[in-house]
C-alpha cells in the first residue's frame, strides 16, 4: 500500500510541477505494478491538477503554467485511458459534451468525458468555446439523450441557459436532458435555468448521467 501511495503522490507532483515526460514513466510504472487506473487518474493526476489550481489562486502560477500542467495531466490520461474498465449500460446512449461559448477551459470537461465513456456512453465531444446552436444541432444529429455543458467563467454561464432555451424553442426540452458543471455553477443556478442535473466532479457526473438515462 505504501508503494501505491508513493506512486500516486509522484503522479500528482509530476502534474503540479509540469513534469510532462516523467508523468508518462510514472504512470506506466504504476500500471505495471498492478494498481488501479481509475485511482491513478483521480488520486494522482487530478490531485496534481488541483494543486496546480491552488498555486494559480495563490498567484504562484499563471495561465502558461496551468496549461503546461494540463498537458502533463493529459499525457498521463493517455496512458491510463486504455486500462479503464468500461461498464455495460445496455443500449448505446449518445451524449453530447462541450465547454460553452466564450470559455476555453476544458480540463473538467475532459475528465467527465472519460468517466462517461467508461460508464458505457457514446460521447460526442464538441471541444471548447462551443456555440449555443452547435450543442442542439449535434444532439439532433446523433439523437443524443443528454447534453453536458461546462464552464469555469461566470461571464459565460448564461450560454448554458441559452442552450436550454433553444431546446425549449425546438420542442426538445425534457426529451434531451441537460447536465451542467464547473467552478462557478451551483445547484441554485441549475434550478434557475432548468437544467436537469448539476454535478461537482467527473465521478458524480457519470452517476447522474446513468440516472438520467434510466428515466428517459
Amino acid at each position: 500500500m505504501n508503494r501505491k501511495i508513493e506512486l500516486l503522490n509522484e503522479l500528482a507532483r509530476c502534474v503540479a510541477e509540469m513534469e510532462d515526460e516523467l508523468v508518462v514513466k510514472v504512470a506506466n510504472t504504476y500500471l505495471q505494478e498492478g494498481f488501479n487506473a481509475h485511482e491513478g487518474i483521480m488520486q494522482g493526476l487530478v490531485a496534481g491538477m488541483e494543486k496546480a489550481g491552488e498555486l494559480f489562486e495563490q498567484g504562484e502560477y499563471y495561465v502558461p503554467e496551468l496549461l503546461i500542467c494540463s498537458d502533463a495531466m493529459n499525457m498521463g490520461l493517455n496512458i491510463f485511458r486504455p486500462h479503464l474498465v468500461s461498464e455495460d449500460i445496455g443500449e448505446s446512449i449518445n451524449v453530447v459534451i462541450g465547454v460553452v461559448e466564450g470559455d476555453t477551459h476544458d480540463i473538467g470537461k475532459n475528465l467527465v468525458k472519460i468517466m462517461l465513456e467508461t460508464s458505457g456512453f457514446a460521447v460526442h465531444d464538441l471541444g471548447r468555446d462551443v456555440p449555443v446552436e452547435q450543442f442542439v444541432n449535434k444532439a439532433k444529429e446523433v439523437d443524443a439523450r443528454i447534453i453536458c455543458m461546462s464552464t469555469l467563467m461566470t461571464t459565460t454561464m448564461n450560454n448554458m441557459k441559452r442552450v436550454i432555451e433553444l431546446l425549449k424553442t425546438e420542442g426538445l426540452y425534457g426529451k434531451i436532458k441537460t447536465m451542467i458543471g464547473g467552478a462557478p455553477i451551483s445547484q441554485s443556478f441549475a434550478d434557475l435555468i432548468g437544467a436537469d442535473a448539476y454535478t461537482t466532479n467527473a465521478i458524480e457526473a457519470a452517476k447522474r448521467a446513468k440516472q438520467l438515462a434510466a428515466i428517459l
Side-chain angles (χ1 to χ4, degrees):
M1 183 58 70
N2 288 338
R3 176 60 173 164
K4 180 180 179 181
I5 293 173
E6 176 188 342
L7 289 171
L8 288 171
N9 289 339
E10 182 64 4
L11 284 169
R13 188 197 66 78
C14 286
V15 171
E17 297 184 9
M18 298 170 279
E19 297 275 5
D20 54 351
E21 294 185 5
L22 183 57
V23 75
V24 171
K25 296 180 181 179
V26 178
N28 279 318
T29 298
Y30 177 89
L31 291 171
Q32 289 166 5
E33 297 194 17
F35 299 124
N36 181 271
H38 182 271
E39 292 178 355
I41 292 173
M42 301 308 297
Q43 298 176 34
L45 302 178
V46 174
M49 202 63 218
E50 289 174 348
K51 177 61 177 177
E54 292 173 5
L55 292 170
F56 177 77
E57 291 175 359
Q58 294 165 7
E60 295 185 38
Y61 276 7
Y62 296 95
V63 173
E65 286 81 7
L66 272 189
L67 290 175
I68 298 173
C69 289
S70 175
D71 287 342
M73 184 185 75
N74 285 327
M75 291 182 74
L77 285 173
N78 289 337
I79 301 300
F80 285 127
R81 188 178 289 114
H83 298 272
L84 293 170
V85 178
S86 295
E87 300 174 23
D88 182 4
I89 57 173
E91 63 173 311
S92 178
I93 296 174
N94 288 311
V95 175
V96 169
I97 191 171
V99 182
V100 295
E101 188 172 4
D103 192 350
T104 59
H105 302 88
D106 62 357
I107 296 170
K109 181 269 295 178
N110 291 340
L111 289 172
V112 172
K113 175 186 176 182
I114 290 170
M115 291 301 106
L116 288 173
E117 287 175 338
T118 58
S119 293
F121 291 94
V123 182
H124 302 265
D125 186 1
L126 299 179
R128 51 194 181 183
D129 192 18
V130 180
V132 168
E133 296 79 6
Q134 192 173 345
F135 279 104
V136 178
N137 289 341
K138 188 65 176 182
K140 291 191 294 185
E141 175 191 332
V142 301
D143 193 23
R145 309 272 286 277
I146 302 171
I147 292 176
C148 296
M149 298 174 279
S150 71
T151 186
L152 286 183
M153 301 169 61
T154 56
T155 54
T156 58
M157 289 168 59
N158 191 58
N159 287 329
M160 294 177 168
K161 179 181 179 182
R162 291 176 60 209
V163 171
I164 292 173
E165 288 175 343
L166 184 56
L167 287 173
K168 291 179 178 179
T169 298
E170 300 206 7
L172 297 171
Y173 182 68
K175 298 176 183 177
I176 299 175
K177 300 297 184 181
T178 53
M179 293 177 55
I180 63 174
I185 308 302
S186 64
Q187 184 61 57
S188 60
F189 178 74
D191 294 339
L192 178 67
I193 67 173
D196 294 291
Y198 154 70
T199 60
T200 59
N201 60 66
I203 296 174
E204 184 184 351
K207 291 179 181 177
R208 290 292 286 123
K210 286 189 282 187
Q211 292 170 355
L212 289 177
I215 62 176
L216 287 170

